[in-house]
Amino acid sequence: MKPLYDDSRLRPWRIQKMRELLPALQEMVAEMQLVPDRFEARLKRVHPENRESAVNLLQYLVLRQHDLRGIQRELAGLGLSSLGRAEAGVMESFRAVIRLINTALAAADGNAKPAEMPESDPAFLQPPCGSTRLTENTAHVLGPPQPHRNTRIMVTMPPEAAHDLALLTSLLESGMDVARINCAHDQPEDWLRMTQNLAETSRATGKNCRVMTDLAGPKIRTAEVPAEVPVLKIKPERDTLGRVTLPARIRLLPASGTAACADSGETLPALVLDDKAFNNLKPGDTLHLRDTRGARRKLLLEQTDGDGLLGLSHKTIYAAPGIRLKPGRSDQPAVLVNAVLNPDPAVVLKPGDLLEIALHPQKSASFSASPSASASTTVTAHIACSLPEAFRNALPGAPVWFDDGKIGGIIEDIAEEKVLVRIRQARPTGTKLRADKGINLPQTVIEVSALTEKDRADLPWIQHHADLVALSFVNQAEDVQHLMDVMEANAPGAKQPAIILKIETRQAFDSLPDMLLTAMQARFCGVMIARGDLAIECGFERMAEVQEEILWISEAAHVPVIWATQVLENLAKTGLPSRAEISDAAMGNRAECVMLNKGPHITAAVQSLDNILHRMEAHQTKKKALLRKLSFEDRGLA
């Protein structure tokens, strides 16, 4: 009977290819076998239960020093494993391929027995064992899986979680596995109520839920922006026919009342007057003025609930310090405006502007343009930095990003107390930069401890109440060791929360293997891909590549990964997802956990993510596609 497939013509070619590939594979195995001895000093510091995982991680890193794409193509052409899914057990994946090649070559040469291979080192995990180790570690760190899916769901707790038991119940019943408490917000008493409510609702629903606390860390932010501005536009609201529906409104304040007004959270702009001049004004007065354009305008004064007066105008006014307000009463002198206050303080930056960053907050108080001593052009805006030491190693030409990448520039000059940044990316009409917005320095080595004084103060509470502690803005192994030392000093010999390494800077990405080996001194740890800051640091175009590398390295270490930042963000905030974020959420199936941020529709987001992850697990696990039976019309296939 003729065989269904005769490969006799291809057999010599295949045998020859195997002979050519075998030495390269054996050479890589020999190189990986040296890992335990080569890194023995480092491996001694790893927790004994993690030694095999650490060896596998180091072997994977050694392997990835080579470009294996040619070998992979050849192996796939021979019907052998291309080694593209070897992360969980690198050495034994190679040995399995070599065994198959030896068997085929022995048969081709007429040998009854294939060439023998050296015994496998007990430190080398086989692929199934590596995957099992990752599954076990994930269960210890993130809790047991749901019956219908393995990927966990983490949810950032909103302030309402401190008092709304119904919200927590709905989140647990919808599929939340881990609750995240962001220690950059709220207070310890709020966190305590959240954990107590979680424990109560968990008992009531019978649902397990771990608690992860996120340390605030040394976030580099813009400092407070002065409310005083050189000019401010106020205008009335009009309907589609141009008729005024709401007059332009501006407060008039005495100089002595500006501080109290700022603390009140008032949302209207203000004109600041001398106390004596202000006291001569009263509700019902009409003030005549010429604005900065010379346009004649009137303000009708009304009483407000606070110390000031409210001025109303049916026309647009451009207000600035120095304009004169003339009361309609002839017995009253003109009043001079001393300052104009913006209720939403910000500097407006356009491409080409020169921004001065003061490295000491008290040095940044002016919004007026000023000449630069080190540049031929004029500084158009000033702002201060909350963490000036972050610029210690900055160099001219290095990029700077503000407010999650909305504004970007290049450092043009650096002095002892200031940095000049030429704005390259912003809206042509200008982008506002407010206080407390993030600053990223992707090409600057930042020598700042990841553990702040606030973090140290929060840690005793965290160690007592949390299952996981996320180390924010970690950049190097020393940061991880510092956290471990502080926790041990706080509670010697006690069981500690598992450390989650938040990878959100370029420096952290480059240091990930070193940080993992340090974290693996404890029995359990994990990794979070904080894609917001990381995308800015590494470049949006590289983000897909970077997150893949983090997934591979973490799998080689048998460490669970949390896929975070902007997952189903539109759905959580507006109730309606975008098409792109559904695909992004499906990609999260590659990680062991997916994190959702808070929002008015967070319960719907959890339900949707639960459904997406459940469906995707039938098609994909890590990098491996699963060939589930598909349902489709069979017309035309007959």
Side-chain angles (χ1 to χ4, degrees):
M1 180 178 177
K2 185 178 180 180
L4 293 176
Y5 174 67
D6 184 5
D7 67 343
S8 58
R9 289 182 300 168
L10 293 176
R11 195 173 299 150
W13 172 84
R14 287 177 174 163
I15 295 299
Q16 180 58 32
K17 281 293 180 185
M18 290 182 186
R19 294 190 195 280
E20 294 172 359
L21 286 171
L22 186 58
L25 295 172
Q26 290 173 329
E27 184 178 341
M28 290 179 195
V29 166
E31 187 177 0
M32 288 189 287
Q33 283 177 324
L34 299 176
V35 161
D37 292 333
R38 179 181 169 188
F39 297 98
E40 180 59 27
R42 190 66 189 270
L43 290 170
K44 281 182 178 178
R45 299 197 294 270
V46 169
H47 191 285
E49 293 290 327
N50 291 333
R51 180 181 171 86
E52 293 173 336
S53 299
V55 169
N56 190 69
L57 169 62
L58 290 167
Q59 288 174 331
Y60 180 72
L61 296 173
V62 167
L63 176 68
R64 293 307 301 267
Q65 299 302 305
H66 303 277
D67 187 342
L68 303 177
R69 288 174 293 180
I71 292 176
Q72 286 184 288
R73 284 191 291 268
E74 300 285 6
L75 289 173
L78 293 169
L80 298 171
S81 168
S82 66
L83 302 169
R85 298 185 295 273
E87 286 82 3
V90 184
M91 175 63 81
E92 284 306 315
S93 294
F94 269 77
R95 289 171 62 88
V97 172
I98 291 174
R99 277 194 293 268
L100 289 173
I101 291 177
N102 281 339
T103 300
L105 294 180
D109 294 340
N111 297 328
K113 189 177 181 182
E116 293 187 0
M117 292 184 63
E119 288 293 323
S120 178
D121 191 310
F124 305 154
L125 283 174
Q126 297 183 12
C129 296
S131 298
T132 300
R133 181 67 60 86
L134 175 57
T135 299
E136 292 171 349
N137 289 346
T138 300
H140 277 94
V141 174
L142 300 172
Q146 297 279 351
H148 59 290
R149 61 171 163 80
N150 290 315
T151 305
R152 279 62 163 184
I153 296 176
M154 178 183 292
V155 179
T156 299
M157 292 292 94
E160 295 80 12
H163 55 79
D164 191 343
L165 291 174
L167 171 63
L168 293 177
T169 298
S170 67
L171 289 173
L172 286 169
E173 291 179 340
S174 298
M176 178 177 71
D177 301 287
V178 184
R180 171 182 177 249
I181 296 175
N182 189 350
C183 294
H185 303 289
D186 305 312
Q187 299 299 321
E189 52 268 26
D190 301 310
W191 310 336
L192 179 60
R193 286 194 292 270
M194 290 178 187
T195 56
Q196 290 172 338
N197 290 343
L198 277 166
E200 182 178 341
T201 52
S202 184
R203 285 192 299 269
T205 59
K207 304 286 187 180
N208 290 301
C209 186
R210 297 290 170 93
V211 174
M212 186 186 86
T213 49
D214 206 323
L215 293 170
K219 175 77 171 178
I220 312 168
R221 296 185 180 275
T222 54
E224 182 178 352
V225 178
E228 193 172 330
V229 292
V231 64
L232 186 68
K233 176 184 177 182
I234 59 168
K235 62 180 182 179
E237 294 182 12
R238 300 178 183 271
D239 62 17
T240 55
L241 298 178
R243 296 172 298 194
V244 173
T245 57
L246 183 67
R249 298 181 299 163
I250 191 165
R251 293 170 297 147
L252 280 74
L253 299 174
S256 60
T258 55
C261 185
D263 294 337
S264 69
E266 182 59 63
T267 59
L268 291 178
L271 304 180
V272 180
L273 315 176
D274 286 334
D275 286 10
K276 182 178 179 180
F278 175 83
N279 292 332
N280 289 329
L281 301 177
K282 61 182 181 180
D285 283 352
T286 298
L287 301 179
H288 299 266
L289 64 105
R290 286 182 181 270
D291 70 3
T292 58
R293 304 165 298 170
R296 296 177 182 272
R297 294 292 182 259
K298 292 189 295 184
L299 281 176
L300 175 63
L301 301 187
E302 291 185 354
Q303 185 64 54
T304 65
D305 295 335
D307 296 331
L309 294 169
L310 181 65
L312 304 178
S313 173
H314 281 68
K315 294 186 177 181
T316 299
I317 297 176
Y318 284 81
I323 64 172
R324 302 172 69 85
L325 309 177
K326 176 65 177 173
R329 292 176 288 154
S330 59
D331 60 331
Q332 293 294 322
V335 178
L336 192 68
V337 174
N338 292 339
V340 179
L341 303 182
N342 187 347
D344 182 23
V347 295
V348 179
L349 298 169
K350 301 177 182 178
D353 283 352
L354 191 62
L355 172 66
E356 179 183 295
I357 303 175
L359 300 184
H360 300 283
Q362 65 271 22
K363 299 291 183 182
S364 175
S366 172
F367 276 76
S368 59
S370 60
S372 167
S374 53
S376 59
T377 53
T378 300
V379 173
T380 48
H382 303 72
I383 204 161
C385 171
S386 65
L387 200 66
E389 54 267 40
F391 285 88
R392 186 181 300 134
N393 297 322
L395 297 172
V400 184
W401 293 94
F402 303 91
D403 193 7
D404 291 335
K406 294 183 178 68
I407 301 170
I410 300 294
I411 294 178
E412 198 162 277
D413 194 18
I414 300 175
E416 184 177 349
E417 295 184 341
K418 64 183 179 181
V419 174
L420 296 179
V421 177
R422 181 70 63 184
I423 301 302
R424 299 296 187 207
Q425 179 167 311
R427 294 192 190 98
T429 55
T431 302
K432 289 184 177 181
L433 179 59
R434 297 177 172 85
D436 203 36
K437 297 300 180 182
I439 301 176
N440 292 89
L441 303 165
Q443 294 181 17
T444 299
V445 176
I446 299 174
E447 295 177 341
V448 176
S449 172
L451 210 59
T452 66
E453 288 303 314
K454 171 180 164 42
D455 296 334
R456 292 174 67 100
D458 292 340
L459 269 173
W461 186 95
I462 290 170
Q463 290 176 255
H464 185 67
H465 294 93
D467 303 294
L468 322 170
V469 55
L471 183 56
S472 299
F473 299 100
V474 56
N475 282 321
Q476 53 194 350
E478 288 78 3
D479 294 329
V480 184
Q481 188 65 58
H482 186 199
L483 173 60
M484 297 173 72
D485 292 343
V486 171
M487 289 200 298
E488 180 61 25
N490 288 345
K495 180 183 177 182
Q496 305 291 0
I499 295 175
I500 304 298
L501 307 176
K502 286 184 67 177
I503 309 304
E504 47 196 329
T505 68
R506 174 66 180 270
Q507 198 173 340
F509 171 67
D510 292 337
S511 303
L512 178 57
D514 195 21
M515 294 193 299
L516 273 173
L517 289 169
T518 302
M520 290 168 75
Q521 294 176 122
R523 177 62 186 92
F524 299 108
C525 63
V527 168
M528 177 185 285
I529 310 177
R531 300 182 300 165
D533 283 290
L534 189 59
I536 300 167
E537 292 268 335
C538 296
F540 286 90
E541 297 84 357
R542 280 207 66 202
M543 190 58 224
E545 178 185 6
V546 167
Q547 65 191 19
E548 286 296 310
E549 291 187 30
I550 295 173
L551 286 168
W552 302 336
I553 291 171
S554 300
E555 184 180 359
H558 310 136
V559 165
V561 174
I562 301 166
W563 179 280
T565 312
Q566 295 183 326
V567 179
L568 296 180
E569 184 176 43
N570 285 341
L571 176 56
K573 288 184 176 180
T574 68
L576 186 66
S578 69
R579 292 169 178 81
E581 69 182 17
I582 293 294
S583 298
D584 176 65
M587 286 288 292
N589 179 58
R590 307 275 293 277
E592 283 65 47
C593 181
V594 179
M595 191 190 90
L596 295 173
N597 229 324
K598 55 194 174 185
H601 305 276
I602 184 59
T603 300
V606 173
Q607 293 168 348
S608 180
L609 182 59
D610 177 79
N611 188 10
I612 292 168
L613 295 175
H614 167 58
R615 291 175 177 275
M616 284 304 300
E617 285 190 6
H619 299 282
Q620 185 91 23
T621 175
K622 302 302 279 185
K623 292 197 296 181
K624 181 168 64 178
L626 304 176
L627 302 182
R628 192 205 75 177
K629 179 182 177 181
L630 298 180
S631 299
F632 54 86
E633 294 288 340
D634 60 0
R635 286 173 294 182
L637 298 181

